[in-house]
Amino acid sequence: GDGTSIAITLGSSVTLAQSFLVCTWRDADTGTRERRHTFTEELTSTTITLTRNSASFATSVTCEWYVYEFDSSVTVQRGIFFC
């Protein structure tokens, strides 16, 4: 892929064990959900890194993102599922 990335600094740091990231990628011209590309989203305590992993389409995309952080009584578990 083309590996086009952007790093976004969060307004305040988050505790990773209590936080998760949600991203929605859309075609910049039509606003429809983007399903033709592959994307990577990485969350650290202070930064989100968004990467477009495919250059097979010339379409510009936008990403709407949210970081959710819970209070200290909640733990967020993560995993990966391949199919």
Side-chain angles (χ1 to χ4, degrees):
D2 67 357
T4 302
S5 294
I6 185 170
I8 301 165
T9 302
L10 299 175
S12 58
S13 64
V14 296
T15 303
L16 291 178
Q18 296 162 222
S19 305
F20 66 96
L21 171 64
V22 174
C23 294
T24 302
W25 295 86
R26 297 189 182 278
D27 181 298
D29 296 324
T30 66
T32 57
R33 287 189 81 162
E34 186 55 58
R35 296 187 178 119
R36 297 176 293 177
H37 299 280
T38 58
F39 304 96
T40 305
E41 301 98 11
E42 180 184 358
L43 174 64
T44 70
S45 62
T46 59
T47 306
I48 299 168
T49 302
L50 305 171
T51 305
R52 177 178 170 165
N53 297 317
S54 173
S56 58
F57 294 92
T59 304
S60 295
V61 293
T62 58
C63 177
E64 185 174 324
W65 58 268
Y66 301 90
V67 175
Y68 296 92
E69 183 178 23
F70 295 98
D71 65 27
S72 60
S73 65
V74 174
T75 301
V76 176
Q77 297 185 12
R78 292 171 170 77
I80 299 173
F81 173 73
F82 295 97
C83 58

